[in-house]
Amino acid sequence: MTLGSVAPSAREPAVPGDAAPFTVEVAVDAPRHTDIAGPLSYRAPFEWPPGTLVRVPLGKREVTGIVWGCRPGDEARTVARTLRPAVEALEALPALPDTWRALVEFAARYYQRQLGELALSVLPPELRRLNAKQVAQRRRSAERALQSAATRIAPHTSGPTPTSEQSAALAAIESTAPGETLLLHGVTGSGKTEVYLRAAASALERGRQVLVLVPEINLTPQLESRFAERFPDRRIVSLHSALTPAQRLRHWLQAQLGLADLVLGTRLAVFAPLDRLGLLVVDEEHDPSYKQQEGARYSARDLAVYRGHLEKAVVVLGSATPSLETWQRARQQRYRRIEMTHRIGSGAWPTVRLADMNRVAPGHGSAGLAPALLDALRQRLQRQEQSLLFLNRRGYAPVLHCLDCGWKSACPHCSAWQVFHKTDRTLRCHHCGSAARVPRACPDCGNLDIAAVGRGTERLEEQLGALLVHADGRPVRIARIDADTTRAKGALEASIGAVHAGEIDVLVGTQMIAKGHDFRRITLVAAVNPDAALFSSDFRAPERLFALLMQAAGRAGRDARHAAASEMWLQTWHPAHPLYAALARHDFAGFAETQLQERASAGLPPWSHLAMVRAEARTADAARDFLMTAANAATGSDQTSTVTVYPPVPLPIARVADVERMQMLVESRSRAALQSFLAAWTPSLHALRRAAGSRILRWAIDVDPLAI
């Protein structure tokens, strides 16, 4: 290994011999089972500033790390001689900003992860494999890519004349103090995106950068096209997991080098290194996709608020159905709230109609669809309007069932069913991915009569094709959009384009189609089976269902020419449920108030703060024993009087891919007390994991979990 190749004239000169002029503290991604909690010390030939990317030895490997501190070697020259030397600095890149490191430090501390693990995990994977020479080559490539795009520059457009509500929202953003957060509560179709565009234009004119977060990858190209159309003279990059490794590295470099004016991306983009950040937008801030569910389980929305505070950037949280935590902060005036209550172009909210399945006589509901809903669909066909049917379950049927012996298509590796997919005649587990051919007969008793139970989007598509027909006999054009039909590159864009072009009569899909899309021709939206979430044990289930149905309803009536006749149909066995009553009134504020009162009486968030400790093992007993031992280890903590640790229980899907999963809830009325408790408790969890050996496969702490 050789020392860094930076010219000595550009740095402090190295001292002769093997003495180290400097000691650097480097954050590295060390294995979690080690005792490494903070940065490691290395010898360095130059005074590399904090934030410098370096290559250093770690065990028998050479890895990328980030300098977190540097001090003269003379302070501890004897110790410095025993340190391993850093290999080189990735000198083609400027040091990561101090505010970026502060954000990473906060996230690692709050979400109970090792500093190096989190810091390196949010860098492009390709960057972590490159040496200094290769990084320099990638930098030149990234710069050339932007220079090539600049031959295509045109003046930015002004966009449509803003409405009075949009103008008021823009004025509120402009008057919001740097570092403060604003909630833009606007109904679907009220023009929130236009507000984002104009707020971005203002920030760009001041020489600041803009970061816009969206919850879903499939929404990123749509938003990117809107920004590219408005700002053809600005440098726009996207950051999300659908990019190739080379694309992601190139876009990240353009952001880190200060070459990008706007960065659009999903939750990972909250860590994009921007040293001139002036505006940070979180669109659909309520969406669960902003919470990372593997590794460091951070909330990009919450980190965006913290980052805005760090970098003195205005943060705009936008949603038609804000999360209850955000709504409560606005009620407490911790966030400024701006209302946008009218849809653009005189668009009206669809009339909500309930199809009471209790009143559908046996045999009168065709394929599980209420006669009134079928009539409404046929009326849309006659008027050459589009309809959208939402069913949040893909596949043909959730399970196959033998009517003689009771056999069901259980997954051999999970405590779940294998879903029947008719298109390719397979049974597939949506949890572990295992697949098998559909048996010709019952595997247990040999009965040939195996029935498909329940319905997924594939079956709904088939049933609608048999039930609906144009008046002149032409078949109805039906498109299905779910994870199965959009696997191929460009498939989603092609299907969405066909809907916009009027080439589709009925659109069937999962939640992928229920939010974010501006379908101008759709006048009817139907939720086929929304009841499943009404009685969930998860206290957040009603909030998620209401938001999803409100978002789905927002796909209808966006064109003023048809808005008055637009409808939202709900097929339900519980028509008197308060959630549906609030939805029929389009009353988010009333629904939120009721939910917050229920949460307050039960001591649930935002009135309390939660963490979940999860353990995975080959046996349920091993996972349970680990968590019980961990709970016992916490009994001596100073915070036990203000923190409650509940007994471990299985997850709703207890076994996935032959791995048993248990979880243990930790609760406190004080966020500070919970954080202090977790910080003191985590080292003992690491020690317990080492003592358990192979009996425990994995464990993790999930702070502010979305589901319990």
Side-chain angles (χ1 to χ4, degrees):
M1 297 181 182
T2 60
L3 293 176
S5 57
V6 182
S9 59
R11 304 288 188 184
E12 293 290 334
V15 298
D18 62 353
F22 297 98
T23 298
V24 289
E25 305 299 327
V26 180
V28 296
D29 186 4
R32 288 198 75 207
H33 63 269
T34 67
D35 289 321
I36 299 175
L40 300 178
S41 298
Y42 291 90
R43 283 189 284 143
F46 309 110
E47 188 176 5
W48 291 327
T52 300
L53 290 162
V54 293
R55 298 287 291 177
V56 296
L58 182 65
K60 297 181 179 180
R61 300 177 296 142
E62 183 182 296
V63 300
T64 295
I66 304 172
V67 173
W68 226 258
C70 183
R71 62 182 186 275
D74 288 339
E75 293 182 5
R77 185 172 297 277
T78 303
V79 175
R81 288 195 181 99
T82 67
L83 298 177
R84 301 180 72 179
V87 178
E88 61 182 357
L90 307 186
E91 58 184 352
L93 299 181
L96 291 160
D98 291 345
T99 51
W100 184 91
R101 292 186 300 109
L103 177 68
V104 168
E105 281 186 340
F106 170 79
R109 183 173 63 252
Y110 185 84
Y111 294 105
Q112 304 299 319
R113 308 299 294 193
Q114 295 174 358
L115 175 64
E117 173 201 12
L118 193 142
L120 274 298
S121 70
V122 300
L123 298 181
E126 188 79 359
L127 180 64
R128 300 171 61 178
R129 295 191 286 268
L130 303 180
N131 58 31
K133 181 178 179 181
Q134 292 168 326
V135 167
Q137 293 171 341
R138 299 303 194 280
R139 170 175 178 160
R140 291 192 291 270
S141 175
E143 292 171 333
R144 284 195 301 268
L146 280 183
Q147 291 169 357
S148 175
T151 65
R152 298 192 298 273
I153 282 180
H156 78 270
T157 59
S158 59
T161 302
T163 66
S164 58
E165 285 191 332
Q166 289 173 330
S167 296
L170 287 164
I173 294 173
E174 290 295 318
S175 63
T176 298
E180 298 299 315
T181 298
L182 180 147
L183 168 61
L184 183 59
H185 179 219
V187 300
T188 57
S190 61
K192 293 189 292 295
T193 301
E194 181 62 26
V195 174
Y196 303 155
L197 288 164
R198 289 181 174 272
S202 177
L204 293 171
E205 288 170 1
R206 298 194 305 270
R208 306 299 295 272
Q209 294 167 302
V210 177
L211 174 60
V212 181
L213 302 183
V214 294
E216 303 277 357
I217 290 174
N218 65 71
L219 299 181
T220 306
Q222 175 179 301
L223 193 67
E224 191 173 11
S225 66
R226 291 282 302 274
F227 273 85
E229 180 182 359
R230 182 65 59 88
F231 303 111
D233 58 337
R234 295 291 186 170
R235 295 166 293 192
I236 304 174
V237 301
S238 58
L239 285 174
H240 51 80
S241 59
L243 299 172
T244 67
Q247 288 174 326
R248 181 173 164 187
L249 175 59
R250 183 170 66 248
H251 293 185
W252 185 91
L253 288 172
Q254 291 166 349
Q256 202 263 352
L257 294 169
L259 303 176
D261 299 309
L262 295 116
V263 175
L264 311 176
T266 50
R267 61 176 176 263
L268 187 65
V270 75
F271 291 103
L274 301 167
D275 60 1
R276 294 180 287 110
L277 185 62
L279 175 68
L280 206 166
V281 174
V282 185
D283 191 27
E284 308 293 358
E285 67 85 27
H286 66 277
D287 199 287
S289 299
Y290 282 122
K291 182 69 188 291
Q292 174 81 5
Q293 296 299 327
E294 298 293 335
R297 292 164 168 80
Y298 62 86
S299 165
R301 178 200 62 208
D302 295 347
L303 289 182
V305 172
Y306 186 80
R307 183 172 187 178
H309 173 73
L310 275 176
E311 304 198 36
K312 302 305 178 187
V314 172
V315 179
V316 178
L317 306 179
S319 177
T321 54
S323 67
L324 293 184
E325 286 82 359
T326 295
W327 188 258
Q328 174 66 1
R329 291 187 181 105
R331 289 176 65 196
Q332 297 169 333
Q333 298 184 344
R334 294 167 61 187
Y335 297 166
R336 185 177 182 181
R337 189 174 86 203
I338 302 299
E339 298 284 346
M340 294 174 62
T341 60
H342 295 89
R343 306 186 91 179
I344 294 294
S346 302
W349 270 96
T351 301
V352 176
R353 303 193 185 281
L354 299 179
D356 185 353
M357 300 305 288
N358 299 288
R359 296 179 178 272
V360 177
H364 286 73
S366 300
L369 295 176
L373 174 55
L374 283 172
D375 289 343
L377 289 168
R378 293 183 178 115
Q379 291 172 14
R380 264 56 188 183
L381 292 175
Q382 292 173 4
R383 299 203 297 255
Q384 297 183 346
E385 297 169 0
Q386 294 175 325
S387 301
L388 182 154
L389 273 72
F390 161 65
L391 177 61
N392 209 21
R393 176 174 284 162
R394 61 188 173 98
Y396 188 84
V399 66
L400 289 185
H401 173 57
C402 175
L403 300 177
D404 281 359
C405 71
W407 170 87
K408 291 183 177 65
S409 54
C411 175
H413 308 290
C414 306
S415 51
W417 308 116
Q418 284 188 321
V419 177
F420 173 37
H421 289 256
K422 188 176 181 180
T423 303
D424 57 6
R425 302 292 299 176
T426 62
L427 293 172
R428 285 188 242 153
C429 177
H430 293 172
H431 299 279
C432 72
S434 64
R437 300 296 299 173
V438 174
R440 295 182 179 273
C442 173
D444 287 355
C445 71
N447 175 31
L448 296 176
D449 187 12
I450 302 178
V453 179
R455 173 174 47 193
T457 51
E458 189 180 335
R459 190 175 195 178
L460 180 59
E461 177 190 24
E462 178 185 275
Q463 292 170 336
L464 289 171
L467 292 168
L468 299 177
V469 66
H470 283 283
D472 59 5
R474 289 180 295 116
V476 173
R477 300 168 298 177
I478 302 175
R480 173 166 56 94
I481 295 181
D482 55 29
D484 295 323
T485 63
T486 57
R487 295 183 190 278
K489 184 176 177 61
L492 176 61
E493 291 79 4
S495 296
I496 296 296
V499 177
H500 287 305
E503 299 168 0
I504 301 299
D505 299 311
V506 180
L507 178 61
V508 175
T510 57
Q511 64 177 359
M512 292 175 65
I513 62 172
K515 51 191 177 183
H517 300 291
D518 187 18
F519 298 128
R520 309 302 296 182
R521 291 180 170 89
I522 286 179
T523 60
L524 182 148
V525 172
V528 176
N529 183 27
D531 288 347
L534 288 179
F535 306 103
S536 170
S537 59
D538 185 355
F539 71 93
R540 295 187 194 273
E543 177 186 1
R544 288 195 295 266
L545 177 61
F546 188 89
L548 187 56
L549 293 178
M550 281 279 282
Q551 293 289 331
R555 299 317 107 201
R558 300 175 81 90
D559 190 325
R561 292 171 297 177
H562 310 293
S566 63
E567 295 177 333
M568 167 68 167
W569 281 81
L570 300 171
Q571 284 202 165
T572 175
W573 295 91
H574 306 279
H577 196 283
L579 185 148
Y580 294 144
L583 188 69
R585 299 190 303 268
H586 309 295
D587 183 12
F588 172 79
F591 169 79
E593 186 64 31
T594 299
Q595 286 292 301
L596 285 171
Q597 289 175 3
E598 292 180 3
R599 299 257 190 108
S601 63
L604 292 169
W607 312 106
S608 66
H609 306 280
L610 307 178
M612 191 74 77
V613 184
R614 297 189 176 96
E616 299 181 357
R618 292 299 181 191
T619 67
D621 287 344
R624 183 183 296 104
D625 290 347
F626 173 82
L627 293 178
M628 289 295 294
T629 305
N632 293 333
T635 55
S637 170
D638 294 338
Q639 289 80 29
T640 51
S641 61
T642 57
V643 176
T644 302
V645 179
Y646 291 91
V649 295
L651 270 72
I653 306 295
R655 182 167 56 96
V656 172
D658 296 319
V659 172
E660 299 289 345
R661 311 187 302 168
M662 302 287 290
Q663 62 184 10
M664 185 166 63
L665 182 65
V666 184
E667 179 187 54
S668 177
R669 292 282 181 152
S670 165
R671 188 188 300 274
L674 178 63
Q675 282 290 312
S676 178
F677 173 82
L678 293 175
W681 193 30
T682 299
S684 64
L685 292 174
H686 283 289
L688 288 173
R689 166 63 183 86
R690 289 191 296 272
S694 60
R695 295 180 65 246
I696 294 296
L697 301 178
R698 290 174 294 273
W699 69 272
I701 295 177
D702 185 359
V703 180
D704 301 333
L706 288 186
I708 63 172

